[in-house]
């Protein structure tokens, strides 16, 4: 009922499905009977799937529109790993903002499928540069005791993004207009990026003492203080600690602890992203009511984000992350038995997976803070991007596990794999140091000093 023939041939064939196929007698392959010019869809809103004739495709083209986003995120972080520590935190965010505004504006004029793929790629490329650079800047401007609360606030804003995106899709009936609205919203939300000061920590590492003084004076003025630094000499790292990309690379060779901590965080990010996006794309294979599952998962995500703040303040970053990974692992194991709750369609697996995603959301929230604090200022942009980059791979493999592996194997296989990986993450976190009770590291030497009294225990 949602399509109409617009050609005599289409009308005469009297087909019930515009995507109907027939076997070609010469090639032996199934081919579509109608082409897109012989019928039209009767919809109250536009869709790129319809505009680019992807409704009858195999699904690869539609999936690629989502997958290419994560590819763009990976390359954005790759470039960001150089920009954040060399161009600066704030300038990187401004460059990313300018790019995403231009990209969203071009989406308003998009009339080509491959052009849409390019837009999606650069959307993620620039968005992840903005988000990562601003998060690093935010954590460097705050003292240790406030970072936990700031991190919770940032993640709550992430949750708020879901209803905002849904509202844009609900009220905008044209998908091109959605890009225009997104561009306008980006302009409005970029105001804090323009106003905020550059990180004094970063400026001191770059030996830009005058710029660091200006940032400190601005921060003091915002807090109603008159700070005179004219006769004050700010302490900077020694000359051989000057921040350059080659110096960063040599430090990884000189201080293996940097490689070890970064490798652990890369693994943590991969597993967390795989679980998080796997659940978000795979509820249809786990629960009887997919829409209810998304609502419950969102509520669980908000609760875990808010509840995590006092827990982290009480027991610290490291212990909280160990408990979260342990809780996720237990949920996966309890989800394996076949236990049905009456005739509702809900099972023990459904309930435990919904509970498990709350633990995973908590891991996602806390790992941001942990990664930003555990890396030294001289390497924070590089380490954060390297640690965050495996998210792209995890985001790709997660939906595969939930949508395909659940269907072709016994559910004990994917759930057992997730339980094993969560336990491995738990052990990996035990190899990291607590950061909530220590000053933030400035150089690689500080990281080595920080680990001298570390013990591999809870």
């Amino acid at each position: 009922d949602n399509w109409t023939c617009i050609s005599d041939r289409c009308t005469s064939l009297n087909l019930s499905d515009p995507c109907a196929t027939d076997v070609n007698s010469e090639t032996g392959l199934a081919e579509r009977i109608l082409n897109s010019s012989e019928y039209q869809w009767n919809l109250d809103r536009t869709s790129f799937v319809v505009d680019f004739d992807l409704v009858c495709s195999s699904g690869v083209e539609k999936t690629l529109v989502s997958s290419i986003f994560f590819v763009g995120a990976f390359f954005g972080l790759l470039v960001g790993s150089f920009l954040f520590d060399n161009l600066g935190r704030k300038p990187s965010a401004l460059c990313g903002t300018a790019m995403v505004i231009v990209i969203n504006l071009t989406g308003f004029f998009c009339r080509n499928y491959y052009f849409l793929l390019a837009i999606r790629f650069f959307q993620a490329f620039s968005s992840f540069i903005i988000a990562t650079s601003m998060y690093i800047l935010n954590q460097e401007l705050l003292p240790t005791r406030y970072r936990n609360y700031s991190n919770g606030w940032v993640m709550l804003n992430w949750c708020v993004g879901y209803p905002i995106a849904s509202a844009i899709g609900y009220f905008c009936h044209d998908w091109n207009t959605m890009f225009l609205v997104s561009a306008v919203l980006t302009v409005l939300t970029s105001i804090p990026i323009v106003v905020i000061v550059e990180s004094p920590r970063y400026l001191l590492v770059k030996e830009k003492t005058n710029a660091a003084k200006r940032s400190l004076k601005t921060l003091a003025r915002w807090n109603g203080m008159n700070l005179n630094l004219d006769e004050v000499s700010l302490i900077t790292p020694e000359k051989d600690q000057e921040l350059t990309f080659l110096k960063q690379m040599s430090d990884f060779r000189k201080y293996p602890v940097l490689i070890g901590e970064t490798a652990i965080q890369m693994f943590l990010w991969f597993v967390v992203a795989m679980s998080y996006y796997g659940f978000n794309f795979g509820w249809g294979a786990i629960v009887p009511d997919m829409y209810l599952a998304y609502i419950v998962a969102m509520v669980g995500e908000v609760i875990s984000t808010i509840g995590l703040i006092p827990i982290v303040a009480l027991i610290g970053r490291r212990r909280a992350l160990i408990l979260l990974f342990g809780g996720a692992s237990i949920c996966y194991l309890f989800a394996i038995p076949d236990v049905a709750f009456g005739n509702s369609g809900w099972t023990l697996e459904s309930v435990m997976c919904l509970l498990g995603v709350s633990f995973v959301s908590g891991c996602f929230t806390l790992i941001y803070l942990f990664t930003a604090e555990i890396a030294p200022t001289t390497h924070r942009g590089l380490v954060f991007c390297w640690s965050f980059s495996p998210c792209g791979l995890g985001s790709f493999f997660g939906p595969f596990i939930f949508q395909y592996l659940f269907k072709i194997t016994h559910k004990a296989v994917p759930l057992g794999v997730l339980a094993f990986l969560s336990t491995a993450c738990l052990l990996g976190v035990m190899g990291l140091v607590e950061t909530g009770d220590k000053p933030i590291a400035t150089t690689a030497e500080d990281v080595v000093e920080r680990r001298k009294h570390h013990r591999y225990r809870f």
Side-chain angles (χ1 to χ4, degrees):
D1 296 334
N2 59 352
W3 68 285
T4 305
C5 286
I6 56 175
S7 71
D8 294 337
R9 176 175 175 271
C10 175
T11 304
S12 64
L13 290 173
N14 194 28
L15 298 173
S16 60
D17 183 2
C19 300
T21 61
D22 192 12
V23 177
N24 188 310
S25 58
E26 295 181 358
T27 63
L29 301 176
E31 297 179 354
R32 286 178 55 185
I33 299 174
L34 300 176
N35 60 58
S36 58
S37 62
E38 295 182 287
Y39 64 92
Q40 66 180 13
W41 295 95
N42 304 320
L43 303 174
D44 60 351
R45 59 179 65 227
T46 65
S47 167
F48 74 86
V49 176
V50 173
D51 290 354
F52 299 145
D53 193 29
L54 303 180
V55 177
C56 301
S57 67
S58 61
V60 175
E61 293 89 345
K62 288 178 283 188
T63 304
L64 188 58
V65 175
S66 298
S67 300
I68 198 70
F69 186 87
F70 296 112
V71 176
F74 175 81
F75 282 98
L77 291 169
L78 192 64
V79 174
S81 65
F82 175 82
L83 292 180
F84 302 152
D85 291 334
N86 291 274
L87 182 63
R89 280 53 160 154
K90 179 178 177 178
S92 298
L94 290 173
C95 290
T97 301
M99 181 180 293
V100 79
I101 292 173
V102 172
I103 290 299
N104 283 333
L105 287 175
T106 58
F108 180 68
F109 304 99
C110 179
R111 299 294 184 271
N112 179 272
Y113 171 73
Y114 295 102
F115 186 29
L116 176 63
L117 292 181
I119 289 174
R120 291 287 290 166
F121 176 91
F122 286 106
Q123 262 189 326
F125 181 94
S126 51
S127 294
F128 273 75
I129 287 179
I130 300 171
T132 308
S133 58
M134 285 303 294
Y135 186 86
I136 293 173
L137 176 57
N138 177 67
Q139 297 305 317
E140 288 184 342
L141 289 176
L142 293 172
T144 302
R145 64 180 181 275
Y146 293 131
R147 293 192 193 109
N148 174 36
Y149 303 99
S150 172
N151 183 69
W153 174 250
V154 169
M155 293 303 133
L156 282 176
N157 286 331
W158 183 295
C159 299
V160 172
Y162 292 125
I164 292 177
S166 299
I168 293 175
Y170 180 81
F171 290 107
C172 295
H173 288 202
D174 180 72
W175 67 272
N176 292 103
T177 306
M178 294 181 190
F179 280 104
L180 181 61
V181 174
S182 297
V184 173
L185 288 177
T186 303
V187 171
L188 295 176
T189 55
S190 66
I191 295 175
I193 302 177
V194 176
V195 174
I196 197 68
V197 299
E198 179 59 286
S199 165
R201 290 179 180 272
Y202 167 78
L203 293 172
L204 287 175
V205 169
K206 295 289 288 184
E207 298 188 345
K208 298 180 179 180
T209 54
N210 291 332
K213 287 182 179 181
R214 289 194 295 270
S215 290
L216 291 171
K217 287 180 179 179
T218 301
L219 292 172
R221 187 170 63 253
W222 289 349
N223 287 277
M225 299 169 57
N226 183 20
L227 185 64
N228 186 1
L229 297 175
D230 294 339
E231 304 299 326
V232 176
S233 297
L234 299 180
I235 299 175
T236 62
E238 297 179 4
K239 189 65 179 178
D240 62 355
Q241 297 293 335
E242 184 180 356
L243 184 59
T244 65
F245 183 72
L246 292 178
K247 178 65 173 62
Q248 288 177 316
M249 293 298 99
S250 66
D251 279 347
F252 277 101
R253 184 179 66 254
K254 185 178 180 181
Y255 305 101
V257 64
L258 284 176
I259 299 178
E261 290 187 344
T262 303
I264 291 174
Q265 292 175 95
M266 291 175 71
F267 178 71
L268 298 181
W269 273 107
F270 171 79
V271 175
V272 169
M274 183 177 65
S275 302
Y276 183 82
Y277 288 105
F279 276 120
N280 284 338
F281 283 97
W283 286 124
I286 301 174
V287 298
D289 189 332
M290 181 176 64
Y291 300 102
L292 179 60
Y294 277 113
I295 295 174
V296 174
M298 183 188 69
V299 173
E301 187 172 336
V302 173
I303 292 174
S304 66
T305 300
I306 296 175
L308 196 60
I309 295 174
I311 293 175
V312 171
L314 181 65
I315 66 175
R317 281 82 155 137
R318 181 173 171 270
R319 289 191 180 97
L321 200 52
I322 289 174
L323 292 176
L324 288 169
F325 277 118
S329 181
I330 292 172
C331 287
Y332 296 143
L333 292 176
F334 272 92
I336 293 177
D338 291 315
V339 179
F341 299 132
N343 298 321
S344 63
W346 286 86
T347 64
L348 180 62
E349 176 191 1
S350 306
V351 176
M352 295 311 296
C353 284
L354 283 170
L355 182 59
V357 78
S358 298
F359 284 104
V360 172
S361 298
C363 291
F364 217 138
T365 299
L366 188 50
I367 199 174
Y368 263 98
L369 176 61
F370 212 17
T371 303
E373 289 184 337
I374 209 165
T377 302
T378 52
H379 299 68
R380 186 162 296 117
L382 184 66
V383 170
F384 200 98
C385 290
W386 281 9
S387 301
F388 197 23
S389 294
C391 264
L393 293 176
S395 305
F396 176 81
F397 285 111
F400 169 79
I401 289 178
F402 284 81
Q403 294 182 12
Y404 299 105
L405 205 57
F406 263 92
K407 298 178 182 178
I408 63 176
T409 66
H410 189 276
K411 64 178 181 178
V413 175
L415 291 172
V417 169
L418 291 173
F420 172 79
L421 291 175
S422 297
T423 304
C425 288
L426 183 154
L427 297 175
V429 175
M430 295 183 72
L432 299 176
V433 299
E434 174 59 48
T435 57
D437 58 352
K438 300 176 182 67
I440 195 167
T442 301
T443 65
E445 288 88 344
D446 296 335
V447 175
V448 175
E449 183 67 25
R450 185 179 59 191
R451 291 190 65 88
K452 282 186 176 180
H453 303 291
H454 176 65
R455 297 291 182 270
Y456 295 90
R457 60 190 182 191
F458 179 72

